[in-house]
Short mmCIF file of all heavy atoms in Angstrom, two decimals:
data_model
loop_
_atom_site.label_atom_id
_atom_site.label_comp_id
_atom_site.label_asym_id
_atom_site.label_seq_id
_atom_site.Cartn_x
_atom_site.Cartn_y
_atom_site.Cartn_z
N ALA A 1 -36.47 -125.38 117.51
CA ALA A 1 -37.84 -125.16 117.00
C ALA A 1 -38.75 -126.22 117.56
O ALA A 1 -38.35 -127.34 117.85
CB ALA A 1 -37.85 -125.27 115.45
N SER A 2 -39.97 -125.81 117.81
CA SER A 2 -41.01 -126.73 118.20
C SER A 2 -42.17 -126.55 117.22
O SER A 2 -42.39 -125.47 116.63
CB SER A 2 -41.49 -126.41 119.62
OG SER A 2 -42.01 -125.11 119.74
N GLY A 3 -42.93 -127.61 117.02
CA GLY A 3 -44.10 -127.51 116.13
C GLY A 3 -43.75 -127.82 114.68
O GLY A 3 -44.68 -127.85 113.83
N ARG A 4 -42.46 -128.01 114.35
CA ARG A 4 -42.05 -128.35 113.02
C ARG A 4 -40.74 -129.01 113.09
O ARG A 4 -39.81 -128.57 113.82
CB ARG A 4 -42.03 -127.08 112.16
CG ARG A 4 -41.62 -127.37 110.74
CD ARG A 4 -41.59 -126.17 109.83
NE ARG A 4 -41.18 -126.51 108.48
CZ ARG A 4 -42.03 -126.95 107.55
NH1 ARG A 4 -43.31 -127.03 107.79
NH2 ARG A 4 -41.55 -127.22 106.35
N THR A 5 -40.53 -130.01 112.22
CA THR A 5 -39.26 -130.63 112.08
C THR A 5 -38.47 -129.87 111.01
O THR A 5 -38.96 -129.62 109.93
CB THR A 5 -39.41 -132.13 111.66
OG1 THR A 5 -40.16 -132.83 112.66
CG2 THR A 5 -38.07 -132.75 111.44
N LEU A 6 -37.28 -129.49 111.40
CA LEU A 6 -36.41 -128.67 110.56
C LEU A 6 -35.52 -129.41 109.53
O LEU A 6 -34.82 -128.80 108.82
CB LEU A 6 -35.50 -127.78 111.38
CG LEU A 6 -36.20 -126.86 112.40
CD1 LEU A 6 -35.18 -126.12 113.18
CD2 LEU A 6 -37.25 -125.97 111.74
N ARG A 7 -35.66 -130.74 109.56
CA ARG A 7 -34.75 -131.57 108.83
C ARG A 7 -34.62 -131.18 107.34
O ARG A 7 -33.49 -131.17 106.84
CB ARG A 7 -35.20 -133.03 108.86
CG ARG A 7 -34.33 -134.01 108.19
CD ARG A 7 -34.89 -135.45 108.30
NE ARG A 7 -35.08 -135.84 109.68
CZ ARG A 7 -34.18 -136.43 110.44
NH1 ARG A 7 -33.01 -136.71 109.96
NH2 ARG A 7 -34.48 -136.77 111.68
N ARG A 8 -35.72 -130.84 106.71
CA ARG A 8 -35.67 -130.50 105.27
C ARG A 8 -35.82 -129.04 105.01
O ARG A 8 -35.98 -128.65 103.85
CB ARG A 8 -36.76 -131.30 104.57
CG ARG A 8 -36.59 -132.81 104.70
CD ARG A 8 -37.69 -133.56 103.93
NE ARG A 8 -37.61 -133.38 102.46
CZ ARG A 8 -36.91 -134.19 101.70
NH1 ARG A 8 -36.21 -135.23 102.20
NH2 ARG A 8 -36.85 -133.95 100.41
N ASP A 9 -35.76 -128.17 106.01
CA ASP A 9 -35.92 -126.78 105.87
C ASP A 9 -34.57 -126.07 105.64
O ASP A 9 -33.55 -126.55 106.14
CB ASP A 9 -36.58 -126.14 107.08
CG ASP A 9 -38.05 -126.62 107.20
OD1 ASP A 9 -38.60 -127.18 106.25
OD2 ASP A 9 -38.63 -126.39 108.36
N THR A 10 -34.61 -124.90 105.04
CA THR A 10 -33.45 -124.03 105.03
C THR A 10 -33.52 -123.13 106.28
O THR A 10 -34.59 -122.58 106.60
CB THR A 10 -33.44 -123.13 103.77
OG1 THR A 10 -33.32 -124.00 102.60
CG2 THR A 10 -32.31 -122.13 103.81
N ILE A 11 -32.41 -122.99 106.95
CA ILE A 11 -32.35 -122.18 108.14
C ILE A 11 -31.29 -121.13 107.99
O ILE A 11 -30.22 -121.34 107.46
CB ILE A 11 -31.92 -123.05 109.40
CG1 ILE A 11 -32.75 -124.35 109.51
CG2 ILE A 11 -32.01 -122.22 110.66
CD1 ILE A 11 -34.24 -124.16 109.66
N GLY A 12 -31.67 -119.95 108.37
CA GLY A 12 -30.74 -118.79 108.28
C GLY A 12 -30.49 -118.13 109.56
O GLY A 12 -31.39 -118.09 110.45
N TRP A 13 -29.30 -117.66 109.79
CA TRP A 13 -28.96 -116.80 110.90
C TRP A 13 -28.78 -115.40 110.35
O TRP A 13 -27.99 -115.16 109.41
CB TRP A 13 -27.67 -117.26 111.59
CG TRP A 13 -27.84 -118.40 112.56
CD1 TRP A 13 -27.57 -119.71 112.35
CD2 TRP A 13 -28.33 -118.28 113.91
NE1 TRP A 13 -27.87 -120.43 113.49
CE2 TRP A 13 -28.35 -119.56 114.43
CE3 TRP A 13 -28.81 -117.21 114.67
CZ2 TRP A 13 -28.75 -119.86 115.76
CZ3 TRP A 13 -29.21 -117.51 115.98
CH2 TRP A 13 -29.22 -118.79 116.49
N PHE A 14 -29.50 -114.47 110.93
CA PHE A 14 -29.41 -113.07 110.57
C PHE A 14 -28.93 -112.25 111.78
O PHE A 14 -29.02 -112.75 112.91
CB PHE A 14 -30.82 -112.53 110.14
CG PHE A 14 -31.38 -113.14 108.93
CD1 PHE A 14 -32.00 -114.39 108.95
CD2 PHE A 14 -31.32 -112.42 107.72
CE1 PHE A 14 -32.52 -114.93 107.76
CE2 PHE A 14 -31.87 -112.98 106.55
CZ PHE A 14 -32.45 -114.24 106.58
N ARG A 15 -28.46 -111.13 111.52
CA ARG A 15 -28.11 -110.21 112.57
C ARG A 15 -28.46 -108.74 112.25
O ARG A 15 -28.49 -108.37 111.05
CB ARG A 15 -26.62 -110.28 112.97
CG ARG A 15 -25.68 -109.72 111.93
CD ARG A 15 -24.22 -109.96 112.37
NE ARG A 15 -23.26 -109.45 111.40
CZ ARG A 15 -21.96 -109.67 111.47
NH1 ARG A 15 -21.47 -110.41 112.48
NH2 ARG A 15 -21.14 -109.18 110.54
N GLN A 16 -28.77 -107.99 113.25
CA GLN A 16 -29.02 -106.59 113.08
C GLN A 16 -28.33 -105.78 114.15
O GLN A 16 -28.65 -105.99 115.37
CB GLN A 16 -30.56 -106.32 113.06
CG GLN A 16 -30.85 -104.88 112.70
CD GLN A 16 -32.29 -104.69 112.35
OE1 GLN A 16 -33.24 -105.45 112.82
NE2 GLN A 16 -32.62 -103.68 111.48
N ALA A 17 -27.45 -104.94 113.74
CA ALA A 17 -26.77 -104.03 114.70
C ALA A 17 -27.49 -102.72 114.78
O ALA A 17 -28.18 -102.34 113.83
CB ALA A 17 -25.32 -103.80 114.29
N PRO A 18 -27.33 -101.99 115.87
CA PRO A 18 -27.95 -100.67 115.97
C PRO A 18 -27.64 -99.82 114.82
O PRO A 18 -26.43 -99.62 114.44
CB PRO A 18 -27.43 -100.13 117.29
CG PRO A 18 -27.09 -101.33 118.07
CD PRO A 18 -26.57 -102.32 117.05
N GLY A 19 -28.66 -99.19 114.18
CA GLY A 19 -28.44 -98.31 113.06
C GLY A 19 -28.15 -98.94 111.76
O GLY A 19 -27.89 -98.24 110.77
N LYS A 20 -28.18 -100.27 111.68
CA LYS A 20 -27.87 -100.98 110.43
C LYS A 20 -29.02 -101.88 110.02
O LYS A 20 -29.87 -102.20 110.83
CB LYS A 20 -26.55 -101.83 110.59
CG LYS A 20 -25.33 -100.96 110.86
CD LYS A 20 -24.12 -101.84 110.88
CE LYS A 20 -22.84 -101.06 111.08
NZ LYS A 20 -21.61 -101.87 111.09
N GLU A 21 -29.05 -102.24 108.77
CA GLU A 21 -30.10 -103.13 108.26
C GLU A 21 -29.76 -104.60 108.66
O GLU A 21 -28.59 -104.94 108.96
CB GLU A 21 -30.11 -103.11 106.78
CG GLU A 21 -30.58 -101.76 106.17
CD GLU A 21 -30.76 -101.83 104.68
OE1 GLU A 21 -31.14 -102.90 104.15
OE2 GLU A 21 -30.55 -100.83 104.00
N ARG A 22 -30.85 -105.37 108.78
CA ARG A 22 -30.63 -106.76 109.05
C ARG A 22 -29.90 -107.46 107.87
O ARG A 22 -30.18 -107.16 106.72
CB ARG A 22 -32.00 -107.45 109.24
CG ARG A 22 -31.94 -108.89 109.65
CD ARG A 22 -33.38 -109.41 109.81
NE ARG A 22 -34.13 -109.39 108.57
CZ ARG A 22 -35.40 -109.46 108.49
NH1 ARG A 22 -36.16 -109.56 109.64
NH2 ARG A 22 -36.02 -109.41 107.35
N GLU A 23 -28.97 -108.35 108.21
CA GLU A 23 -28.23 -109.00 107.14
C GLU A 23 -28.17 -110.52 107.43
O GLU A 23 -28.13 -110.92 108.59
CB GLU A 23 -26.78 -108.41 107.08
CG GLU A 23 -26.01 -108.59 108.38
CD GLU A 23 -24.56 -108.07 108.21
OE1 GLU A 23 -24.05 -107.96 107.08
OE2 GLU A 23 -23.94 -107.84 109.26
N LEU A 24 -28.06 -111.26 106.37
CA LEU A 24 -27.95 -112.69 106.48
C LEU A 24 -26.46 -113.02 106.73
O LEU A 24 -25.61 -112.61 105.99
CB LEU A 24 -28.44 -113.39 105.21
CG LEU A 24 -28.25 -114.86 105.17
CD1 LEU A 24 -29.13 -115.58 106.19
CD2 LEU A 24 -28.60 -115.41 103.73
N VAL A 25 -26.22 -113.70 107.83
CA VAL A 25 -24.90 -114.08 108.20
C VAL A 25 -24.50 -115.45 107.59
O VAL A 25 -23.41 -115.64 107.07
CB VAL A 25 -24.76 -114.11 109.73
CG1 VAL A 25 -23.34 -114.61 110.14
CG2 VAL A 25 -25.01 -112.75 110.30
N ALA A 26 -25.37 -116.43 107.75
CA ALA A 26 -25.12 -117.77 107.29
C ALA A 26 -26.44 -118.53 107.12
O ALA A 26 -27.43 -118.18 107.75
CB ALA A 26 -24.23 -118.51 108.26
N SER A 27 -26.42 -119.51 106.26
CA SER A 27 -27.63 -120.34 106.08
C SER A 27 -27.21 -121.78 105.73
O SER A 27 -26.06 -122.01 105.28
CB SER A 27 -28.56 -119.76 104.97
OG SER A 27 -27.90 -119.74 103.71
N ILE A 28 -28.08 -122.68 106.01
CA ILE A 28 -27.84 -124.08 105.68
C ILE A 28 -29.18 -124.69 105.21
O ILE A 28 -30.24 -124.39 105.75
CB ILE A 28 -27.31 -124.82 106.93
CG1 ILE A 28 -26.94 -126.30 106.58
CG2 ILE A 28 -28.29 -124.83 108.08
CD1 ILE A 28 -26.10 -126.94 107.66
N TRP A 29 -29.11 -125.47 104.23
CA TRP A 29 -30.33 -126.09 103.70
C TRP A 29 -30.20 -127.60 103.50
O TRP A 29 -29.13 -128.19 103.70
CB TRP A 29 -30.82 -125.44 102.40
CG TRP A 29 -29.87 -125.32 101.26
CD1 TRP A 29 -29.80 -126.21 100.22
CD2 TRP A 29 -28.91 -124.29 100.96
NE1 TRP A 29 -28.84 -125.78 99.34
CE2 TRP A 29 -28.33 -124.65 99.78
CE3 TRP A 29 -28.59 -123.12 101.66
CZ2 TRP A 29 -27.31 -123.79 99.20
CZ3 TRP A 29 -27.58 -122.34 101.10
CH2 TRP A 29 -26.97 -122.65 99.87
N TYR A 30 -31.36 -128.21 103.10
CA TYR A 30 -31.36 -129.61 102.97
C TYR A 30 -30.32 -130.08 101.98
O TYR A 30 -30.13 -129.53 100.88
CB TYR A 30 -32.80 -130.03 102.44
CG TYR A 30 -32.92 -131.50 102.12
CD1 TYR A 30 -32.96 -132.46 103.10
CD2 TYR A 30 -33.06 -131.94 100.80
CE1 TYR A 30 -33.09 -133.77 102.81
CE2 TYR A 30 -33.21 -133.29 100.51
CZ TYR A 30 -33.18 -134.20 101.54
OH TYR A 30 -33.34 -135.53 101.24
N GLY A 31 -29.61 -131.12 102.39
CA GLY A 31 -28.50 -131.56 101.62
C GLY A 31 -27.13 -131.12 102.16
O GLY A 31 -26.11 -131.60 101.73
N GLY A 32 -27.18 -130.11 103.06
CA GLY A 32 -25.99 -129.69 103.75
C GLY A 32 -25.27 -128.51 103.15
O GLY A 32 -24.26 -128.03 103.73
N ALA A 33 -25.72 -127.97 101.98
CA ALA A 33 -25.10 -126.85 101.42
C ALA A 33 -25.22 -125.62 102.40
O ALA A 33 -26.20 -125.46 103.07
CB ALA A 33 -25.69 -126.49 100.08
N THR A 34 -24.20 -124.82 102.41
CA THR A 34 -24.17 -123.68 103.32
C THR A 34 -23.81 -122.35 102.58
O THR A 34 -23.22 -122.43 101.46
CB THR A 34 -23.15 -123.84 104.46
OG1 THR A 34 -21.88 -124.05 103.87
CG2 THR A 34 -23.54 -125.03 105.28
N PHE A 35 -24.16 -121.30 103.13
CA PHE A 35 -23.85 -119.99 102.65
C PHE A 35 -23.34 -119.14 103.80
O PHE A 35 -23.80 -119.21 104.91
CB PHE A 35 -25.04 -119.27 102.06
CG PHE A 35 -24.85 -117.78 101.81
CD1 PHE A 35 -24.24 -117.26 100.72
CD2 PHE A 35 -25.27 -116.86 102.80
CE1 PHE A 35 -24.03 -115.93 100.56
CE2 PHE A 35 -25.08 -115.51 102.70
CZ PHE A 35 -24.46 -115.06 101.52
N TYR A 36 -22.28 -118.37 103.53
CA TYR A 36 -21.75 -117.42 104.53
C TYR A 36 -21.55 -116.06 103.89
O TYR A 36 -21.15 -115.93 102.73
CB TYR A 36 -20.41 -117.87 105.10
CG TYR A 36 -20.46 -119.21 105.81
CD1 TYR A 36 -20.16 -120.40 105.15
CD2 TYR A 36 -20.83 -119.23 107.19
CE1 TYR A 36 -20.22 -121.64 105.82
CE2 TYR A 36 -20.89 -120.45 107.82
CZ TYR A 36 -20.59 -121.62 107.18
OH TYR A 36 -20.65 -122.81 107.85
N ALA A 37 -21.80 -115.06 104.65
CA ALA A 37 -21.44 -113.69 104.28
C ALA A 37 -19.91 -113.63 104.11
O ALA A 37 -19.21 -114.30 104.89
CB ALA A 37 -21.90 -112.66 105.25
N GLU A 38 -19.43 -112.99 103.07
CA GLU A 38 -18.00 -112.96 102.76
C GLU A 38 -17.19 -112.59 104.03
O GLU A 38 -16.11 -113.11 104.26
CB GLU A 38 -17.70 -112.08 101.59
CG GLU A 38 -18.13 -112.70 100.28
CD GLU A 38 -17.37 -113.95 99.91
OE1 GLU A 38 -16.17 -114.05 100.30
OE2 GLU A 38 -17.92 -114.82 99.27
N SER A 39 -17.67 -111.61 104.75
CA SER A 39 -16.92 -111.09 105.85
C SER A 39 -16.80 -112.09 107.01
O SER A 39 -15.96 -111.92 107.87
CB SER A 39 -17.52 -109.79 106.38
OG SER A 39 -18.87 -109.99 106.83
N GLU A 40 -17.65 -113.09 106.99
CA GLU A 40 -17.68 -114.10 108.10
C GLU A 40 -17.06 -115.41 107.73
O GLU A 40 -16.92 -116.29 108.61
CB GLU A 40 -19.07 -114.30 108.63
CG GLU A 40 -19.89 -113.01 108.75
CD GLU A 40 -19.18 -111.93 109.54
OE1 GLU A 40 -18.35 -112.30 110.43
OE2 GLU A 40 -19.44 -110.78 109.33
N LYS A 41 -16.71 -115.64 106.47
CA LYS A 41 -16.11 -116.90 106.10
C LYS A 41 -14.81 -117.11 106.85
O LYS A 41 -14.00 -116.23 107.00
CB LYS A 41 -15.81 -116.94 104.62
CG LYS A 41 -17.03 -117.12 103.76
CD LYS A 41 -16.66 -117.26 102.24
CE LYS A 41 -17.91 -117.56 101.45
NZ LYS A 41 -17.55 -117.65 99.96
N GLY A 42 -14.68 -118.30 107.41
CA GLY A 42 -13.51 -118.68 108.18
C GLY A 42 -13.63 -118.40 109.67
O GLY A 42 -12.81 -118.92 110.39
N ARG A 43 -14.59 -117.61 110.04
CA ARG A 43 -14.86 -117.35 111.46
C ARG A 43 -16.13 -117.99 111.99
O ARG A 43 -16.19 -118.38 113.12
CB ARG A 43 -14.88 -115.84 111.76
CG ARG A 43 -13.59 -115.09 111.44
CD ARG A 43 -13.65 -113.72 112.11
NE ARG A 43 -14.79 -112.93 111.57
CZ ARG A 43 -15.72 -112.39 112.35
NH1 ARG A 43 -15.64 -112.50 113.69
NH2 ARG A 43 -16.72 -111.64 111.86
N PHE A 44 -17.16 -117.99 111.14
CA PHE A 44 -18.47 -118.54 111.58
C PHE A 44 -18.74 -119.87 110.86
O PHE A 44 -18.41 -120.02 109.69
CB PHE A 44 -19.59 -117.57 111.23
CG PHE A 44 -19.60 -116.27 112.04
CD1 PHE A 44 -18.60 -115.97 112.89
CD2 PHE A 44 -20.67 -115.43 111.91
CE1 PHE A 44 -18.63 -114.79 113.64
CE2 PHE A 44 -20.70 -114.24 112.64
CZ PHE A 44 -19.68 -113.94 113.51
N THR A 45 -19.38 -120.79 111.53
CA THR A 45 -19.79 -122.07 110.96
C THR A 45 -21.20 -122.37 111.36
O THR A 45 -21.57 -122.33 112.57
CB THR A 45 -18.85 -123.17 111.46
OG1 THR A 45 -17.50 -122.86 111.12
CG2 THR A 45 -19.25 -124.53 110.81
N ILE A 46 -22.02 -122.67 110.43
CA ILE A 46 -23.40 -123.08 110.67
C ILE A 46 -23.53 -124.60 110.52
O ILE A 46 -22.88 -125.20 109.63
CB ILE A 46 -24.40 -122.38 109.69
CG1 ILE A 46 -25.82 -122.65 110.10
CG2 ILE A 46 -24.15 -122.77 108.29
CD1 ILE A 46 -26.83 -121.73 109.41
#
């Protein structure tokens, strides 16, 4: 990112496959807490 410091922001990774809705894959927020879609736990790391 440019124009903003992300240090205290929540950041999400989304994905959208052809013919499917956009979905949240993983997120990380201030303090280090993370979220993962159940199907991606153990494979993806944010």
